[in-house]
């Protein structure tokens, strides 16, 4: 199975928390054993006048990855 096929399967079977955290898989590389993910840091996840993402959300993003 190609890496792009695995990436598609991971994207289709993603847990609901990734929708909540606005996360998506950008790249999967089986040779390097890495996955690159992207999360949208919306103001609702932030404190300090929506400038800093709250640590619990960062932890959730890292855990989801």
């Amino acid at each position: 199975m190609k890496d792009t096929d695995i990436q598609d399967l991971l994207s289709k079977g993603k847990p609901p928390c990734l929708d909540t955290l606005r996360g998506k898989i950008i790249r999967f590389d089986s040779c390097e054993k890495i996955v690159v993910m992207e999360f949208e840091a919306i103001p609702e996840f932030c404190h300090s006048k929506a400038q800093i993402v709250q640590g619990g959300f960062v932890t959730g993003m890292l855990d989801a990855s």
Side-chain angles (χ1 to χ4, degrees):
M1 186 177 287
K2 296 188 291 186
D3 286 354
T4 52
D5 296 330
I6 294 170
Q7 181 176 329
D8 288 342
L9 284 173
L10 290 170
S11 294
K12 290 175 186 169
K14 68 182 179 177
C17 68
L18 284 182
D19 290 329
T20 302
L21 294 170
R22 299 179 183 228
K24 62 182 177 181
I25 298 169
I26 302 299
R27 185 170 70 92
F28 176 82
D29 187 322
S30 61
C31 290
E32 294 293 323
K33 297 184 180 173
I34 61 169
V35 61
V36 176
M37 297 190 70
E38 178 177 274
F39 294 87
E40 182 182 357
I42 59 174
E44 291 82 3
F45 296 167
C46 300
H47 61 78
S48 302
K49 298 182 182 179
Q51 296 295 312
I52 301 170
V53 177
Q54 197 273 340
F57 287 106
V58 173
T59 301
M61 292 170 182
L62 290 169
D63 189 44
S65 298

